[in-house]
Amino acid sequence: MHSLFRLPKVSCQNSMTKILQLTLLLLLIGGCVKQEGAKNTESSSPNGATETLDNPVAKKPVVRIRNKRDKQPEPTVDMNLPVGTPTPPFAGSLSPDASVKNRTGTYGGRLVYAILGEVETFNPVEPKGATDQEIGALAFSSLVSYNNGKWEAEPELAKSWEISDDLLTWTFFMRDGIRWSDGEVCDVEDALFSFQAIFHPKIATSIKDGFKHPITGTLPKVSADKDRNALVFTLDRIDSQFLTHVGNASIIPEHKWNTHLQAEDPTLLQQMTSNGDPADLIGCGPFILKQYIPAEKIVYERNPYYWKVDARQQRLPYLDQVVIVLVKDVNLHWQKFEAGELDIFMDLPADHFKEALAMEKSNAADLVRLGVSLNSNWVCFNLHPGKDADSGEPFVDPAKSYWFNNLKFRQAVNHAIDRDGIKRTAFQGRATPIWSSITPGNISWYHNGVQKYPHSLEKAGALLDELGWIDKDGDGIREDDKGRKISFSLNTNVENNLRQQVGNLLSKNLKSAGLDVNFKPIIFNDLVTSLRDSHKWDMILLGWGSGVPPDPANGKNITLSSGRLHAWYPQQPEPATEWEARIDELMAMMDGELDNKVRKKYYDEVQELIGQNIPMIYLIAANSYAVVQKDRLGNLWPSLLRPMLTWNIESLWKKSP
Amino acid sequence: MNDSSQNPDNQNTDSQHSDMPPPRGPWEILWHRLRKNKLAMVGLFILVSLYLMCSFGGFIAPYGMNETNKYTVKYGPMLLGGYSVAKTGELIGEDENFEEVILSTYEKRWDWFTGGVHFHDSSGSFTLRPHVHPLREYESWDEYGEMEYLLAEDRNISIPIRFFIGSDERHEVFSLCGFFKIHGNFQLMGLKNEDCPKVDNLHYGLFMMGTDILGRDLWTRILYGGQVSLSVGLIGIFISITIGLFIGGLAGYFGGIWDFLLMRLVELLLAIPGLYLILTLRYALPNDLSSRQTYIMIVAILAIVGWASTGRMIRGMVLSLRESEYALAARSLGGSSLRVIIRHLLPNTASIVIVTATLYVPYYILGEVALSYLGFGITEPDSSWGLLLKDCQVTEVMKYNPWLITPGFFIFLAVLAYNFLGDGLRDAADPRAFLGVSKTDEK
């Protein structure tokens, strides 16, 4: 038994004969074990628990269960790797400030992976979604980057930064001698231009929102210090998340676009679109866009002027090409990976876990277990008290509003939900129940003290009985104290199969508690419209995806009562309840505090407040997996944060090009 | 029609000759010929049993249509065998308090025709009553600290399957296409609660064809799903034949501009590929319909798409029949157009209509399957054969849970049976085949 666990690791070695020997050995051992196992099942008692006692096979190999929250190890350096030849070769001289990565690798080859969906724009000033942002990182760099492996910020185009004593002036020192992908020099003027574009009053971009003062909406002042090649920001408040916001802003070349930043009607956003010329995309990122065929693929080639070097003073990136295949369907995505067409597969859905496991067992791929995902699934009741401006009718039916606003009702619903059932069925056992937006996967911010509502139909029933909401006519559905049948609808997006299953289970759970739920999956865009604008919904099932870095301060448009995604009652003119006012206050305190320990204490309280008042019922977080073809890529450093495997794409190298 | 009502006097004279068999009407001849066709009779038998089975689905099914069970997810078909586990190793792990705990690793194996539904009781002695084993849940850990629930039979215990048992709750026992329902509290078979003592980690179930991803009994879902899938075809074809008869009759009888306009409309409909037309129509209709509304909508869509070819065929027949002597006679005797069409022309198309209808029902069944499979038809928590197949869209299911394609077998069976029956009917109704009784009958 002991060797069974070790063997696969040994057989990783490349020698063919060794593999053969080991396989033979494995077969032999496998045969023995099977026989003994068979004997055991015959002799063992009906009770499975006692089986452990009389099992002679178990010699107890000491394999410690690895803590799920362990981070993935940093890749190691091997100075003896062949260097290889880069095609196309590098150009220009190396910057004296080139950032050194402690990696080694061989030049050549291409990385092929796929993304679901379609690119909306290549313009880094206004990325339309997470996909655009991730793809943008291939061709563009920012002043600061985030190391997903270490979960910390790192210098990128800025070699270092300074903060003044009053914490209001930030100075970023740019690297000297860095070149754009067209060979021009990249300096502080480009950085200044980029921030002027983002702060431009006529340019609407989600990147700008982070810099805004939460109350006054003012933006920091930015200026260039040409003597020191530094960019200086002057803030009007202390912002603990300032580095993150700066990291979100890609630097674009001033010499290319300076005519497009007019005071009135700037045309910058009309540039670098998905149907523009690929040669226009001049950036400081590791790759340049070579070709884009809509609905088919995006091809990137090495940026010959890239400015990072490895441990052997070889210039990065190692890969000649990156090909991103655009697929529409998860099944197709998986089949392409299984056929070997793709090198990596990120965000493995529970539906394909067994197949991935089979690939791991047959030594065709490595299954990377990343722990509990940072993405949460939740349901939420509509607590909007407002009225439709046109018709004068309330957004929510008064009867429904009366139920939803009752805390005991929400507690009862929470008790009625069987998270274990959702986990076992929809997620096939590979998920963790959650009670707050921060899942256990988020080591830095997870708080165990949030109130939990374990599944109990008795408790749910008792709470509803207490309110006098009892089933009087015996049809299995409760009536409230005013005699109205408790019946409401539950919506989710029809595109997501998993969510439909969860919704089906939820409505069954609530029906058994005597609440009539009408489950209707609808189109995602309709769902978002009703959530944000029309406010005509009862109960909604959706999920939050986590940003990078996974700091809750980045979720302010969800947490703050004035936020656009404050799902249960968005864009409140002033906090509707005392606890929401307290949450706003705590979030402001978090912004003004740089010590993460104190900030966590503040956010723990926010989580507790949401746990007590349950405006949103957090349900479950799936386990996160990625799959990599065996022995194809070097320097992989998987991370729970998106993009799980390609965040360090400049130092990935292909083992068998 | 005309044969049987031709001459009553003849019949009397015929009956006096005792050695001659009485003459047969066309329907009798049809039935007689059909009975000779073994394949058609097999088809008819399959269809009757399928329809009966699904109508009495509530009575036959051991569970309710949407009775989920979180412990019995994706369990294999008990008619074919059962799962067993073997312990493959142990691991030492740490719990939250950093205390050492011993965790086991198991491997699940499918045993063909071992376990499952079997004929011996807990002591191992043979009985005529079928038994099933209860299912025990094992927690299997891997070296990465991830746990998987494995469900396997506890072969030391046998639970008897009881027949004609009462159930605690009143449920549907008979339903005609999901409309006309009779409720009762008895069912054909199932496990009795008294036989199933409550033990931790032990779960009971009678899953003859396995369970789906939500732990529901697949056999139950197939029975309830058949009510939708089979009746959609029948009702759909009824509506489209009615429309086809009406429009075809009008076009054929009146001809001229009517014929021209109606036939161009038919050609327009036939020119559009069927499935795309169905999907387009589906998109045009609202998304948030109740299950009953969805059902009616599917029938309507299928009927709208399907009447065209029948209509054109009927028009051709009516066109030729309206010049026949009896039609001329009826008209010259002063029969109105409507009367001539309904009383004289359409009845003569009846045999052909029945044949086409039978041959076209499979397309309606497949239409519903396609709609539901693509997510535009019947939705959860209701059931239909197409919806059940939707679970098989994931490749993993085909590899690891192949029993989930069983509904596909029922679709196959129904479509095949309709084709057998339709072919048989066509042969039987063919006027060019040798007439009257067969040679063996004459002797």
mmCIF file of all heavy atoms in Angstrom, chain A residues 46, chain B residues 72 75 78 82-83 115-116 118 122 131-138 151-160 191 195-197 199 201-207:
data_model
loop_
_atom_site.group_PDB
_atom_site.id
_atom_site.type_symbol
_atom_site.label_atom_id
_atom_site.label_comp_id
_atom_site.label_asym_id
_atom_site.label_seq_id
_atom_site.Cartn_x
_atom_site.Cartn_y
_atom_site.Cartn_z
ATOM 1 N N PRO A 46 -20.295 -6.209 8.647
ATOM 2 C CA PRO A 46 -21.125 -5.319 7.844
ATOM 3 C C PRO A 46 -20.853 -3.850 8.137
ATOM 4 O O PRO A 46 -21.081 -3.006 7.295
ATOM 5 C CB PRO A 46 -22.543 -5.701 8.252
ATOM 6 C CG PRO A 46 -22.411 -6.453 9.525
ATOM 7 C CD PRO A 46 -21.084 -7.116 9.449
ATOM 8 N N THR B 72 -28.163 10.047 -2.912
ATOM 9 C CA THR B 72 -28.130 8.997 -3.939
ATOM 10 C C THR B 72 -27.890 9.584 -5.321
ATOM 11 O O THR B 72 -28.553 9.237 -6.275
ATOM 12 C CB THR B 72 -29.451 8.217 -3.949
ATOM 13 O OG1 THR B 72 -30.505 9.162 -4.180
ATOM 14 C CG2 THR B 72 -29.684 7.517 -2.656
ATOM 15 N N TYR B 75 -26.460 7.191 -8.955
ATOM 16 C CA TYR B 75 -26.284 5.775 -8.639
ATOM 17 C C TYR B 75 -26.699 4.948 -9.851
ATOM 18 O O TYR B 75 -27.635 5.288 -10.556
ATOM 19 C CB TYR B 75 -27.104 5.393 -7.399
ATOM 20 C CG TYR B 75 -26.710 4.036 -6.897
ATOM 21 C CD1 TYR B 75 -25.586 3.875 -6.114
ATOM 22 C CD2 TYR B 75 -27.437 2.910 -7.271
ATOM 23 C CE1 TYR B 75 -25.178 2.627 -5.707
ATOM 24 C CE2 TYR B 75 -27.039 1.656 -6.868
ATOM 25 C CZ TYR B 75 -25.907 1.516 -6.076
ATOM 26 O OH TYR B 75 -25.498 0.285 -5.685
ATOM 27 N N MET B 78 -30.123 -0.471 -10.770
ATOM 28 C CA MET B 78 -30.113 -1.652 -9.908
ATOM 29 C C MET B 78 -30.532 -2.905 -10.663
ATOM 30 O O MET B 78 -30.270 -4.007 -10.206
ATOM 31 C CB MET B 78 -31.047 -1.435 -8.726
ATOM 32 C CG MET B 78 -30.464 -0.494 -7.703
ATOM 33 S SD MET B 78 -31.529 -0.368 -6.274
ATOM 34 C CE MET B 78 -30.468 0.531 -5.149
ATOM 35 N N GLY B 82 -24.758 -3.572 -9.121
ATOM 36 C CA GLY B 82 -24.625 -2.613 -8.048
ATOM 37 C C GLY B 82 -23.170 -2.254 -7.831
ATOM 38 O O GLY B 82 -22.267 -2.894 -8.374
ATOM 39 N N TYR B 83 -22.962 -1.228 -7.044
ATOM 40 C CA TYR B 83 -21.605 -0.799 -6.725
ATOM 41 C C TYR B 83 -21.120 -1.505 -5.464
ATOM 42 O O TYR B 83 -21.887 -1.756 -4.544
ATOM 43 C CB TYR B 83 -21.560 0.710 -6.475
ATOM 44 C CG TYR B 83 -21.590 1.537 -7.724
ATOM 45 C CD1 TYR B 83 -22.676 2.338 -8.019
ATOM 46 C CD2 TYR B 83 -20.521 1.530 -8.604
ATOM 47 C CE1 TYR B 83 -22.697 3.109 -9.174
ATOM 48 C CE2 TYR B 83 -20.529 2.294 -9.752
ATOM 49 C CZ TYR B 83 -21.624 3.082 -10.030
ATOM 50 O OH TYR B 83 -21.631 3.842 -11.153
ATOM 51 N N GLY B 115 -25.606 -8.109 -6.810
ATOM 52 C CA GLY B 115 -26.285 -7.098 -6.030
ATOM 53 C C GLY B 115 -27.473 -6.569 -6.811
ATOM 54 O O GLY B 115 -28.077 -7.293 -7.596
ATOM 55 N N GLY B 116 -27.776 -5.301 -6.638
ATOM 56 C CA GLY B 116 -28.917 -4.727 -7.322
ATOM 57 C C GLY B 116 -30.200 -5.425 -6.904
ATOM 58 O O GLY B 116 -30.369 -5.815 -5.746
ATOM 59 N N HIS B 118 -32.202 -8.489 -6.436
ATOM 60 C CA HIS B 118 -31.790 -9.887 -6.326
ATOM 61 C C HIS B 118 -32.864 -10.675 -5.584
ATOM 62 O O HIS B 118 -33.813 -10.107 -5.058
ATOM 63 C CB HIS B 118 -30.449 -9.983 -5.598
ATOM 64 C CG HIS B 118 -30.499 -9.382 -4.222
ATOM 65 N ND1 HIS B 118 -30.269 -8.049 -4.001
ATOM 66 C CD2 HIS B 118 -30.793 -9.916 -3.024
ATOM 67 C CE1 HIS B 118 -30.410 -7.796 -2.721
ATOM 68 N NE2 HIS B 118 -30.727 -8.909 -2.105
ATOM 69 N N SER B 122 -31.892 -11.306 3.715
ATOM 70 C CA SER B 122 -30.676 -10.961 4.461
ATOM 71 C C SER B 122 -29.891 -12.184 4.878
ATOM 72 O O SER B 122 -28.663 -12.163 4.986
ATOM 73 C CB SER B 122 -31.042 -10.145 5.694
ATOM 74 O OG SER B 122 -31.450 -8.875 5.292
ATOM 75 N N HIS B 131 -35.444 -8.436 -3.866
ATOM 76 C CA HIS B 131 -34.889 -7.618 -2.782
ATOM 77 C C HIS B 131 -33.881 -6.644 -3.353
ATOM 78 O O HIS B 131 -33.331 -6.855 -4.431
ATOM 79 C CB HIS B 131 -34.171 -8.499 -1.749
ATOM 80 C CG HIS B 131 -35.106 -9.270 -0.866
ATOM 81 N ND1 HIS B 131 -35.959 -10.235 -1.357
ATOM 82 C CD2 HIS B 131 -35.310 -9.229 0.477
ATOM 83 C CE1 HIS B 131 -36.649 -10.751 -0.352
ATOM 84 N NE2 HIS B 131 -36.278 -10.163 0.775
ATOM 85 N N VAL B 132 -33.608 -5.588 -2.601
ATOM 86 C CA VAL B 132 -32.472 -4.723 -2.943
ATOM 87 C C VAL B 132 -31.620 -4.534 -1.691
ATOM 88 O O VAL B 132 -32.105 -4.690 -0.578
ATOM 89 C CB VAL B 132 -32.909 -3.337 -3.474
ATOM 90 C CG1 VAL B 132 -33.471 -3.431 -4.857
ATOM 91 C CG2 VAL B 132 -33.885 -2.681 -2.525
ATOM 92 N N HIS B 133 -30.369 -4.189 -1.923
ATOM 93 C CA HIS B 133 -29.483 -3.885 -0.801
ATOM 94 C C HIS B 133 -29.597 -2.411 -0.450
ATOM 95 O O HIS B 133 -29.771 -1.591 -1.338
ATOM 96 C CB HIS B 133 -28.020 -4.178 -1.170
ATOM 97 C CG HIS B 133 -27.750 -5.604 -1.451
ATOM 98 N ND1 HIS B 133 -27.961 -6.595 -0.518
ATOM 99 C CD2 HIS B 133 -27.279 -6.225 -2.553
ATOM 100 C CE1 HIS B 133 -27.627 -7.753 -1.036
ATOM 101 N NE2 HIS B 133 -27.221 -7.565 -2.274
ATOM 102 N N PRO B 134 -29.459 -2.062 0.821
ATOM 103 C CA PRO B 134 -29.366 -0.634 1.149
ATOM 104 C C PRO B 134 -28.011 -0.086 0.704
ATOM 105 O O PRO B 134 -27.083 -0.839 0.455
ATOM 106 C CB PRO B 134 -29.499 -0.620 2.674
ATOM 107 C CG PRO B 134 -29.048 -1.951 3.111
ATOM 108 C CD PRO B 134 -29.376 -2.906 2.004
ATOM 109 N N LEU B 135 -27.932 1.227 0.598
ATOM 110 C CA LEU B 135 -26.706 1.853 0.106
ATOM 111 C C LEU B 135 -25.978 2.515 1.258
ATOM 112 O O LEU B 135 -26.563 3.270 2.021
ATOM 113 C CB LEU B 135 -27.055 2.899 -0.961
ATOM 114 C CG LEU B 135 -27.950 2.366 -2.079
ATOM 115 C CD1 LEU B 135 -28.396 3.487 -2.989
ATOM 116 C CD2 LEU B 135 -27.228 1.298 -2.868
ATOM 117 N N ARG B 136 -24.708 2.214 1.375
ATOM 118 C CA ARG B 136 -23.907 2.794 2.443
ATOM 119 C C ARG B 136 -22.984 3.849 1.851
ATOM 120 O O ARG B 136 -22.438 3.682 0.771
ATOM 121 C CB ARG B 136 -23.079 1.711 3.135
ATOM 122 C CG ARG B 136 -22.295 2.231 4.329
ATOM 123 C CD ARG B 136 -21.541 1.109 4.993
ATOM 124 N NE ARG B 136 -22.408 0.138 5.640
ATOM 125 C CZ ARG B 136 -23.007 0.343 6.820
ATOM 126 N NH1 ARG B 136 -22.827 1.470 7.463
ATOM 127 N NH2 ARG B 136 -23.764 -0.586 7.363
ATOM 128 N N GLU B 137 -22.856 4.932 2.624
ATOM 129 C CA GLU B 137 -22.016 6.021 2.130
ATOM 130 C C GLU B 137 -20.635 5.943 2.752
ATOM 131 O O GLU B 137 -20.504 5.833 3.964
ATOM 132 C CB GLU B 137 -22.674 7.350 2.478
ATOM 133 C CG GLU B 137 -21.992 8.523 1.842
ATOM 134 C CD GLU B 137 -22.714 9.808 2.157
ATOM 135 O OE1 GLU B 137 -22.632 10.265 3.302
ATOM 136 O OE2 GLU B 137 -23.375 10.333 1.265
ATOM 137 N N TYR B 138 -19.612 6.002 1.926
ATOM 138 C CA TYR B 138 -18.231 5.980 2.405
ATOM 139 C C TYR B 138 -17.579 7.319 2.102
ATOM 140 O O TYR B 138 -17.840 7.917 1.053
ATOM 141 C CB TYR B 138 -17.437 4.880 1.698
ATOM 142 C CG TYR B 138 -17.929 3.488 1.983
ATOM 143 C CD1 TYR B 138 -18.963 2.927 1.236
ATOM 144 C CD2 TYR B 138 -17.356 2.739 2.996
ATOM 145 C CE1 TYR B 138 -19.421 1.654 1.496
ATOM 146 C CE2 TYR B 138 -17.801 1.451 3.262
ATOM 147 C CZ TYR B 138 -18.830 0.917 2.512
ATOM 148 O OH TYR B 138 -19.276 -0.347 2.766
ATOM 149 N N LEU B 151 -20.954 5.830 -2.832
ATOM 150 C CA LEU B 151 -22.149 5.121 -2.420
ATOM 151 C C LEU B 151 -22.073 3.702 -2.952
ATOM 152 O O LEU B 151 -21.886 3.492 -4.152
ATOM 153 C CB LEU B 151 -23.372 5.842 -2.990
ATOM 154 C CG LEU B 151 -24.686 5.576 -2.307
ATOM 155 C CD1 LEU B 151 -24.642 6.091 -0.886
ATOM 156 C CD2 LEU B 151 -25.809 6.252 -3.063
ATOM 157 N N ALA B 152 -22.165 2.728 -2.059
ATOM 158 C CA ALA B 152 -22.083 1.343 -2.511
ATOM 159 C C ALA B 152 -23.053 0.499 -1.692
ATOM 160 O O ALA B 152 -23.515 0.903 -0.627
ATOM 161 C CB ALA B 152 -20.672 0.817 -2.358
ATOM 162 N N GLU B 153 -23.346 -0.670 -2.213
ATOM 163 C CA GLU B 153 -24.321 -1.527 -1.550
ATOM 164 C C GLU B 153 -23.731 -2.153 -0.305
ATOM 165 O O GLU B 153 -22.557 -2.518 -0.277
ATOM 166 C CB GLU B 153 -24.735 -2.635 -2.513
ATOM 167 C CG GLU B 153 -25.541 -2.126 -3.658
ATOM 168 C CD GLU B 153 -25.961 -3.241 -4.578
ATOM 169 O OE1 GLU B 153 -25.239 -4.262 -4.623
ATOM 170 O OE2 GLU B 153 -26.994 -3.109 -5.233
ATOM 171 N N ASP B 154 -24.574 -2.294 0.702
ATOM 172 C CA ASP B 154 -24.207 -3.099 1.855
ATOM 173 C C ASP B 154 -24.831 -4.466 1.617
ATOM 174 O O ASP B 154 -26.015 -4.679 1.838
ATOM 175 C CB ASP B 154 -24.744 -2.449 3.136
ATOM 176 C CG ASP B 154 -24.225 -3.162 4.351
ATOM 177 O OD1 ASP B 154 -23.847 -4.345 4.215
ATOM 178 O OD2 ASP B 154 -24.210 -2.552 5.426
ATOM 179 N N ARG B 155 -24.009 -5.396 1.143
ATOM 180 C CA ARG B 155 -24.584 -6.655 0.644
ATOM 181 C C ARG B 155 -24.980 -7.599 1.773
ATOM 182 O O ARG B 155 -25.428 -8.711 1.526
ATOM 183 C CB ARG B 155 -23.567 -7.346 -0.278
ATOM 184 C CG ARG B 155 -23.198 -6.476 -1.467
ATOM 185 C CD ARG B 155 -23.354 -7.207 -2.779
ATOM 186 N NE ARG B 155 -23.319 -6.243 -3.875
ATOM 187 C CZ ARG B 155 -22.300 -6.098 -4.716
ATOM 188 N NH1 ARG B 155 -21.249 -6.880 -4.619
ATOM 189 N NH2 ARG B 155 -22.348 -5.215 -5.683
ATOM 190 N N ASN B 156 -24.790 -7.172 3.014
ATOM 191 C CA ASN B 156 -25.185 -8.041 4.118
ATOM 192 C C ASN B 156 -26.658 -7.880 4.473
ATOM 193 O O ASN B 156 -27.212 -8.673 5.208
ATOM 194 C CB ASN B 156 -24.329 -7.740 5.343
ATOM 195 C CG ASN B 156 -22.880 -8.054 5.061
ATOM 196 O OD1 ASN B 156 -22.548 -9.177 4.725
ATOM 197 N ND2 ASN B 156 -22.040 -7.040 5.151
ATOM 198 N N ILE B 157 -27.242 -6.822 4.006
ATOM 199 C CA ILE B 157 -28.649 -6.568 4.311
ATOM 200 C C ILE B 157 -29.439 -6.601 3.010
ATOM 201 O O ILE B 157 -28.952 -6.135 1.971
ATOM 202 C CB ILE B 157 -28.832 -5.193 4.990
ATOM 203 C CG1 ILE B 157 -27.811 -5.024 6.116
ATOM 204 C CG2 ILE B 157 -30.248 -5.031 5.502
ATOM 205 C CD1 ILE B 157 -27.789 -3.649 6.708
ATOM 206 N N SER B 158 -30.627 -7.165 3.067
ATOM 207 C CA SER B 158 -31.509 -7.154 1.904
ATOM 208 C C SER B 158 -32.853 -6.594 2.321
ATOM 209 O O SER B 158 -33.400 -6.986 3.353
ATOM 210 C CB SER B 158 -31.684 -8.559 1.340
ATOM 211 O OG SER B 158 -30.511 -8.948 0.664
ATOM 212 N N ILE B 159 -33.362 -5.703 1.546
ATOM 213 C CA ILE B 159 -34.660 -5.080 1.827
ATOM 214 C C ILE B 159 -35.646 -5.601 0.791
ATOM 215 O O ILE B 159 -35.371 -5.545 -0.410
ATOM 216 C CB ILE B 159 -34.571 -3.543 1.695
ATOM 217 C CG1 ILE B 159 -33.374 -2.998 2.462
ATOM 218 C CG2 ILE B 159 -35.869 -2.894 2.128
ATOM 219 C CD1 ILE B 159 -33.526 -3.004 3.933
ATOM 220 N N PRO B 160 -36.781 -6.145 1.234
ATOM 221 C CA PRO B 160 -37.747 -6.668 0.260
ATOM 222 C C PRO B 160 -38.450 -5.544 -0.494
ATOM 223 O O PRO B 160 -38.717 -4.484 0.057
ATOM 224 C CB PRO B 160 -38.734 -7.447 1.129
ATOM 225 C CG PRO B 160 -38.619 -6.823 2.471
ATOM 226 C CD PRO B 160 -37.216 -6.344 2.619
ATOM 227 N N LEU B 191 -40.297 0.419 -1.582
ATOM 228 C CA LEU B 191 -39.779 -0.068 -0.313
ATOM 229 C C LEU B 191 -40.662 0.478 0.782
ATOM 230 O O LEU B 191 -41.122 1.617 0.706
ATOM 231 C CB LEU B 191 -38.337 0.409 -0.108
ATOM 232 C CG LEU B 191 -37.343 0.037 -1.198
ATOM 233 C CD1 LEU B 191 -35.967 0.556 -0.846
ATOM 234 C CD2 LEU B 191 -37.304 -1.466 -1.396
ATOM 235 N N ASP B 195 -39.467 -1.527 6.651
ATOM 236 C CA ASP B 195 -38.351 -2.417 6.330
ATOM 237 C C ASP B 195 -37.008 -1.698 6.379
ATOM 238 O O ASP B 195 -35.967 -2.323 6.278
ATOM 239 C CB ASP B 195 -38.536 -3.003 4.921
ATOM 240 C CG ASP B 195 -39.790 -3.830 4.817
ATOM 241 O OD1 ASP B 195 -40.139 -4.458 5.836
ATOM 242 O OD2 ASP B 195 -40.427 -3.833 3.762
ATOM 243 N N CYS B 196 -37.075 -0.373 6.470
ATOM 244 C CA CYS B 196 -35.847 0.414 6.352
ATOM 245 C C CYS B 196 -35.545 1.122 7.662
ATOM 246 O O CYS B 196 -35.931 2.274 7.849
ATOM 247 C CB CYS B 196 -35.979 1.444 5.239
ATOM 248 S SG CYS B 196 -36.481 0.760 3.669
ATOM 249 N N PRO B 197 -34.858 0.452 8.589
ATOM 250 C CA PRO B 197 -34.525 1.105 9.850
ATOM 251 C C PRO B 197 -33.565 2.267 9.617
ATOM 252 O O PRO B 197 -32.728 2.215 8.723
ATOM 253 C CB PRO B 197 -33.857 -0.005 10.660
ATOM 254 C CG PRO B 197 -33.377 -0.977 9.650
ATOM 255 C CD PRO B 197 -34.318 -0.900 8.503
ATOM 256 N N VAL B 199 -30.489 4.225 10.001
ATOM 257 C CA VAL B 199 -29.113 4.035 10.452
ATOM 258 C C VAL B 199 -28.278 5.117 9.784
ATOM 259 O O VAL B 199 -28.536 5.465 8.630
ATOM 260 C CB VAL B 199 -28.585 2.642 10.043
ATOM 261 C CG1 VAL B 199 -27.165 2.431 10.544
ATOM 262 C CG2 VAL B 199 -29.504 1.546 10.533
ATOM 263 N N ASN B 201 -25.541 6.917 7.704
ATOM 264 C CA ASN B 201 -24.801 6.551 6.497
ATOM 265 C C ASN B 201 -25.451 5.456 5.682
ATOM 266 O O ASN B 201 -24.851 4.940 4.757
ATOM 267 C CB ASN B 201 -23.364 6.090 6.825
ATOM 268 C CG ASN B 201 -22.529 7.235 7.293
ATOM 269 O OD1 ASN B 201 -22.826 8.383 6.971
ATOM 270 N ND2 ASN B 201 -21.506 6.931 8.054
ATOM 271 N N LEU B 202 -26.660 5.055 6.049
ATOM 272 C CA LEU B 202 -27.325 4.006 5.281
ATOM 273 C C LEU B 202 -28.526 4.637 4.581
ATOM 274 O O LEU B 202 -29.352 5.289 5.209
ATOM 275 C CB LEU B 202 -27.764 2.886 6.216
ATOM 276 C CG LEU B 202 -27.676 1.471 5.660
ATOM 277 C CD1 LEU B 202 -26.305 1.199 5.087
ATOM 278 C CD2 LEU B 202 -27.997 0.470 6.739
ATOM 279 N N HIS B 203 -28.623 4.462 3.274
ATOM 280 C CA HIS B 203 -29.705 5.068 2.508
ATOM 281 C C HIS B 203 -30.420 3.981 1.732
ATOM 282 O O HIS B 203 -29.804 3.016 1.301
ATOM 283 C CB HIS B 203 -29.160 6.136 1.572
ATOM 284 C CG HIS B 203 -28.303 7.132 2.282
ATOM 285 N ND1 HIS B 203 -28.829 8.082 3.128
ATOM 286 C CD2 HIS B 203 -26.961 7.288 2.315
ATOM 287 C CE1 HIS B 203 -27.832 8.798 3.630
ATOM 288 N NE2 HIS B 203 -26.690 8.329 3.161
ATOM 289 N N TYR B 204 -31.724 4.159 1.577
ATOM 290 C CA TYR B 204 -32.524 3.132 0.931
ATOM 291 C C TYR B 204 -33.092 3.668 -0.359
ATOM 292 O O TYR B 204 -33.479 4.830 -0.443
ATOM 293 C CB TYR B 204 -33.662 2.689 1.846
ATOM 294 C CG TYR B 204 -33.171 2.208 3.182
ATOM 295 C CD1 TYR B 204 -33.060 3.078 4.253
ATOM 296 C CD2 TYR B 204 -32.802 0.876 3.351
ATOM 297 C CE1 TYR B 204 -32.597 2.648 5.471
ATOM 298 C CE2 TYR B 204 -32.325 0.436 4.577
ATOM 299 C CZ TYR B 204 -32.227 1.317 5.636
ATOM 300 O OH TYR B 204 -31.757 0.883 6.840
ATOM 301 N N GLY B 205 -33.139 2.832 -1.343
ATOM 302 C CA GLY B 205 -33.742 3.282 -2.583
ATOM 303 C C GLY B 205 -33.955 2.138 -3.535
ATOM 304 O O GLY B 205 -33.238 1.145 -3.512
ATOM 305 N N LEU B 206 -35.001 2.285 -4.352
ATOM 306 C CA LEU B 206 -35.273 1.310 -5.390
ATOM 307 C C LEU B 206 -35.062 2.033 -6.713
ATOM 308 O O LEU B 206 -35.959 2.703 -7.214
ATOM 309 C CB LEU B 206 -36.716 0.802 -5.253
ATOM 310 C CG LEU B 206 -37.224 -0.113 -6.359
ATOM 311 C CD1 LEU B 206 -36.372 -1.354 -6.469
ATOM 312 C CD2 LEU B 206 -38.665 -0.481 -6.107
ATOM 313 N N PHE B 207 -33.853 1.949 -7.224
ATOM 314 C CA PHE B 207 -33.514 2.697 -8.430
ATOM 315 C C PHE B 207 -33.239 1.713 -9.555
ATOM 316 O O PHE B 207 -32.092 1.383 -9.849
ATOM 317 C CB PHE B 207 -32.286 3.584 -8.191
ATOM 318 C CG PHE B 207 -32.418 4.466 -6.982
ATOM 319 C CD1 PHE B 207 -31.468 4.447 -5.973
ATOM 320 C CD2 PHE B 207 -33.503 5.316 -6.854
ATOM 321 C CE1 PHE B 207 -31.593 5.258 -4.865
ATOM 322 C CE2 PHE B 207 -33.633 6.140 -5.747
ATOM 323 C CZ PHE B 207 -32.673 6.101 -4.745
#
